[in-house]
Amino acid sequence: MKQPISLRLTSLISTVVLWASAFPAIRVGVDGLGVGGLSFWRLAVASVALAVVSPILRVRLPHRRDLPLIALCAFTGMSAYQVLLNWGEVHVPAGTASLLIATAPVFSVLLASIFLGERLSATIVAGTVTALAGVALIAYAAGSAQVTTSALVILAAAVVQGVYHFATKPLLKRYTGLEVACYAMWAGTLFLTPLAPGAVHDLLQAPADAAVSTLYLGLLPSALGFVTWGYAVARYTIAQSTAALYLVPPLAIGVAFVWLGEIPGPVELVGGLISMVGVLLIHRHTARSAAVPEPPSPLLDKAEK
């Protein structure tokens, strides 16, 4: 049975809104908790939230053969992504960070072309070159070595997020989006347990706004956001689903302006626009690809009836 367009589109839009709001929240959280503290507590909060709902939603245990792929998803899309993005946002404004992360579809599409057999065309290559040109402009716009280094760190976060996007695709043929999110979040938290002692110390000394931001990041952009993302990406091609993420930067810039008074400079905005043009080129080429069905999810199947 064909999945209803409205529900999968709603899931995709929800993910975009939640992930856009994460960038300014990270700036608040990292100022009070530091990179390690924020990285650990965000995943820990999300892991607890998913553990609470998983028995109700009948989350299955993963097959042993899938554990290496789950570990890859957890390490890249959860552990490494959190640390790299939080580290980069120490010096890079939230809006600029969102522009850099928006290039993640470039890397996921390239990896999907190599490992999953999705077609790599001249248009995709052109889109990739265009997007990376925009990244280069953003990274070197400020002229400060400190800011440039931080921008490159965020670009590394985009790369590992791209790995996560393509690596989840085979898993979503056998598990629901909720199950994949649970496996990756729980394993990703385990990978960051060496940061736990320092994270506890940081939390005890953190201001209230940092603690609230961390709680928000764990419950909504992380726990709920990855569930809605898993549901959407299971029903679209890699290129279709990840191309929707180009909407994250304008939303993140708007939220960061209202919340923090931040706004990227004109050169960063131009670089971000160039990058998004590249992502749109990739999306345009693959927009007619068929969606891939996901195994039934108890909660979402009920909502579809």
mmCIF file of all heavy atoms in Angstrom, residues 116-139:
data_model
loop_
_atom_site.group_PDB
_atom_site.id
_atom_site.type_symbol
_atom_site.label_atom_id
_atom_site.label_comp_id
_atom_site.label_asym_id
_atom_site.label_seq_id
_atom_site.Cartn_x
_atom_site.Cartn_y
_atom_site.Cartn_z
ATOM 1 N N LEU A 116 25.423 2.358 -2.605
ATOM 2 C CA LEU A 116 24.046 1.890 -2.727
ATOM 3 C C LEU A 116 23.564 1.838 -4.166
ATOM 4 O O LEU A 116 22.419 1.495 -4.434
ATOM 5 C CB LEU A 116 23.105 2.793 -1.908
ATOM 6 C CG LEU A 116 23.406 2.900 -0.403
ATOM 7 C CD1 LEU A 116 22.364 3.767 0.276
ATOM 8 C CD2 LEU A 116 23.464 1.520 0.242
ATOM 9 N N GLY A 117 24.431 2.214 -5.103
ATOM 10 C CA GLY A 117 24.078 2.100 -6.509
ATOM 11 C C GLY A 117 23.188 3.191 -7.052
ATOM 12 O O GLY A 117 22.688 3.076 -8.177
ATOM 13 N N GLU A 118 22.948 4.274 -6.279
ATOM 14 C CA GLU A 118 22.159 5.382 -6.804
ATOM 15 C C GLU A 118 22.997 6.139 -7.837
ATOM 16 O O GLU A 118 24.185 6.376 -7.641
ATOM 17 C CB GLU A 118 21.692 6.303 -5.674
ATOM 18 C CG GLU A 118 20.715 5.614 -4.735
ATOM 19 C CD GLU A 118 20.075 6.558 -3.735
ATOM 20 O OE1 GLU A 118 20.239 7.789 -3.882
ATOM 21 O OE2 GLU A 118 19.405 6.061 -2.806
ATOM 22 N N ARG A 119 22.350 6.533 -8.915
ATOM 23 C CA ARG A 119 23.060 7.053 -10.081
ATOM 24 C C ARG A 119 23.824 8.347 -9.782
ATOM 25 O O ARG A 119 23.311 9.277 -9.172
ATOM 26 C CB ARG A 119 22.064 7.309 -11.207
ATOM 27 C CG ARG A 119 22.728 7.755 -12.500
ATOM 28 C CD ARG A 119 21.692 8.030 -13.563
ATOM 29 N NE ARG A 119 22.303 8.550 -14.782
ATOM 30 C CZ ARG A 119 21.624 9.014 -15.802
ATOM 31 N NH1 ARG A 119 20.299 9.021 -15.760
ATOM 32 N NH2 ARG A 119 22.252 9.472 -16.868
ATOM 33 N N LEU A 120 25.074 8.402 -10.232
ATOM 34 C CA LEU A 120 25.899 9.605 -10.124
ATOM 35 C C LEU A 120 26.041 10.196 -11.522
ATOM 36 O O LEU A 120 26.662 9.610 -12.397
ATOM 37 C CB LEU A 120 27.276 9.254 -9.556
ATOM 38 C CG LEU A 120 28.252 10.423 -9.365
ATOM 39 C CD1 LEU A 120 27.690 11.412 -8.351
ATOM 40 C CD2 LEU A 120 29.615 9.909 -8.908
ATOM 41 N N SER A 121 25.457 11.376 -11.726
ATOM 42 C CA SER A 121 25.427 11.992 -13.054
ATOM 43 C C SER A 121 26.249 13.274 -13.078
ATOM 44 O O SER A 121 26.773 13.731 -12.055
ATOM 45 C CB SER A 121 23.981 12.323 -13.439
ATOM 46 O OG SER A 121 23.503 13.364 -12.610
ATOM 47 N N ALA A 122 26.338 13.857 -14.264
ATOM 48 C CA ALA A 122 27.047 15.130 -14.419
ATOM 49 C C ALA A 122 26.380 16.226 -13.598
ATOM 50 O O ALA A 122 27.051 17.114 -13.052
ATOM 51 C CB ALA A 122 27.080 15.525 -15.893
ATOM 52 N N THR A 123 25.063 16.168 -13.471
ATOM 53 C CA THR A 123 24.345 17.166 -12.673
ATOM 54 C C THR A 123 24.710 17.062 -11.206
ATOM 55 O O THR A 123 24.897 18.072 -10.517
ATOM 56 C CB THR A 123 22.824 16.980 -12.843
ATOM 57 O OG1 THR A 123 22.488 17.071 -14.230
ATOM 58 C CG2 THR A 123 22.062 18.046 -12.072
ATOM 59 N N ILE A 124 24.808 15.830 -10.705
ATOM 60 C CA ILE A 124 25.196 15.633 -9.315
ATOM 61 C C ILE A 124 26.620 16.127 -9.077
ATOM 62 O O ILE A 124 26.916 16.767 -8.064
ATOM 63 C CB ILE A 124 25.060 14.151 -8.919
ATOM 64 C CG1 ILE A 124 23.584 13.763 -8.892
ATOM 65 C CG2 ILE A 124 25.711 13.879 -7.571
ATOM 66 C CD1 ILE A 124 23.327 12.309 -8.573
ATOM 67 N N VAL A 125 27.512 15.841 -10.009
ATOM 68 C CA VAL A 125 28.890 16.318 -9.894
ATOM 69 C C VAL A 125 28.915 17.842 -9.882
ATOM 70 O O VAL A 125 29.616 18.472 -9.077
ATOM 71 C CB VAL A 125 29.756 15.760 -11.041
ATOM 72 C CG1 VAL A 125 31.140 16.399 -11.013
ATOM 73 C CG2 VAL A 125 29.866 14.245 -10.928
ATOM 74 N N ALA A 126 28.144 18.467 -10.793
ATOM 75 C CA ALA A 126 28.095 19.924 -10.845
ATOM 76 C C ALA A 126 27.536 20.495 -9.543
ATOM 77 O O ALA A 126 28.031 21.512 -9.024
ATOM 78 C CB ALA A 126 27.249 20.377 -12.030
ATOM 79 N N GLY A 127 26.504 19.848 -9.009
ATOM 80 C CA GLY A 127 25.937 20.299 -7.746
ATOM 81 C C GLY A 127 26.927 20.176 -6.598
ATOM 82 O O GLY A 127 27.006 21.049 -5.732
ATOM 83 N N THR A 128 27.699 19.104 -6.611
ATOM 84 C CA THR A 128 28.706 18.900 -5.574
ATOM 85 C C THR A 128 29.780 19.985 -5.614
ATOM 86 O O THR A 128 30.137 20.573 -4.580
ATOM 87 C CB THR A 128 29.371 17.521 -5.748
ATOM 88 O OG1 THR A 128 28.376 16.502 -5.630
ATOM 89 C CG2 THR A 128 30.461 17.300 -4.710
ATOM 90 N N VAL A 129 30.285 20.257 -6.811
ATOM 91 C CA VAL A 129 31.319 21.290 -6.964
ATOM 92 C C VAL A 129 30.779 22.655 -6.535
ATOM 93 O O VAL A 129 31.448 23.429 -5.843
ATOM 94 C CB VAL A 129 31.820 21.330 -8.420
ATOM 95 C CG1 VAL A 129 32.746 22.522 -8.630
ATOM 96 C CG2 VAL A 129 32.532 20.032 -8.776
ATOM 97 N N THR A 130 29.540 22.961 -6.928
ATOM 98 C CA THR A 130 28.932 24.243 -6.563
ATOM 99 C C THR A 130 28.784 24.371 -5.053
ATOM 100 O O THR A 130 29.117 25.414 -4.468
ATOM 101 C CB THR A 130 27.554 24.374 -7.228
ATOM 102 O OG1 THR A 130 27.694 24.277 -8.646
ATOM 103 C CG2 THR A 130 26.905 25.705 -6.878
ATOM 104 N N ALA A 131 28.278 23.312 -4.422
ATOM 105 C CA ALA A 131 28.081 23.354 -2.973
ATOM 106 C C ALA A 131 29.397 23.528 -2.230
ATOM 107 O O ALA A 131 29.490 24.313 -1.275
ATOM 108 C CB ALA A 131 27.378 22.080 -2.515
ATOM 109 N N LEU A 132 30.433 22.825 -2.662
ATOM 110 C CA LEU A 132 31.724 22.930 -1.981
ATOM 111 C C LEU A 132 32.376 24.293 -2.216
ATOM 112 O O LEU A 132 33.107 24.792 -1.355
ATOM 113 C CB LEU A 132 32.646 21.802 -2.441
ATOM 114 C CG LEU A 132 32.200 20.390 -2.036
ATOM 115 C CD1 LEU A 132 33.187 19.348 -2.536
ATOM 116 C CD2 LEU A 132 32.037 20.290 -0.523
ATOM 117 N N ALA A 133 32.100 24.903 -3.359
ATOM 118 C CA ALA A 133 32.601 26.261 -3.602
ATOM 119 C C ALA A 133 31.975 27.232 -2.599
ATOM 120 O O ALA A 133 32.650 28.129 -2.073
ATOM 121 C CB ALA A 133 32.288 26.687 -5.033
ATOM 122 N N GLY A 134 30.687 27.049 -2.343
ATOM 123 C CA GLY A 134 30.032 27.882 -1.343
ATOM 124 C C GLY A 134 30.610 27.668 0.043
ATOM 125 O O GLY A 134 30.793 28.626 0.815
ATOM 126 N N VAL A 135 30.930 26.429 0.366
ATOM 127 C CA VAL A 135 31.552 26.118 1.657
ATOM 128 C C VAL A 135 32.891 26.825 1.796
ATOM 129 O O VAL A 135 33.210 27.397 2.848
ATOM 130 C CB VAL A 135 31.735 24.593 1.805
ATOM 131 C CG1 VAL A 135 32.657 24.280 2.977
ATOM 132 C CG2 VAL A 135 30.389 23.922 1.998
ATOM 133 N N ALA A 136 33.694 26.777 0.743
ATOM 134 C CA ALA A 136 35.000 27.437 0.784
ATOM 135 C C ALA A 136 34.848 28.930 1.035
ATOM 136 O O ALA A 136 35.624 29.534 1.797
ATOM 137 C CB ALA A 136 35.740 27.187 -0.529
ATOM 138 N N LEU A 137 33.848 29.534 0.418
ATOM 139 C CA LEU A 137 33.613 30.966 0.619
ATOM 140 C C LEU A 137 33.231 31.266 2.059
ATOM 141 O O LEU A 137 33.723 32.225 2.661
ATOM 142 C CB LEU A 137 32.501 31.430 -0.333
ATOM 143 C CG LEU A 137 32.224 32.940 -0.372
ATOM 144 C CD1 LEU A 137 33.472 33.708 -0.785
ATOM 145 C CD2 LEU A 137 31.077 33.229 -1.333
ATOM 146 N N ILE A 138 32.369 30.422 2.629
ATOM 147 C CA ILE A 138 31.977 30.612 4.030
ATOM 148 C C ILE A 138 33.168 30.442 4.963
ATOM 149 O O ILE A 138 33.399 31.239 5.874
ATOM 150 C CB ILE A 138 30.875 29.604 4.416
ATOM 151 C CG1 ILE A 138 29.594 29.883 3.628
ATOM 152 C CG2 ILE A 138 30.595 29.663 5.912
ATOM 153 C CD1 ILE A 138 28.535 28.804 3.794
ATOM 154 N N ALA A 139 33.941 29.395 4.742
ATOM 155 C CA ALA A 139 35.029 29.044 5.653
ATOM 156 C C ALA A 139 36.093 30.125 5.724
ATOM 157 O O ALA A 139 36.683 30.367 6.790
ATOM 158 C CB ALA A 139 35.657 27.719 5.231
#
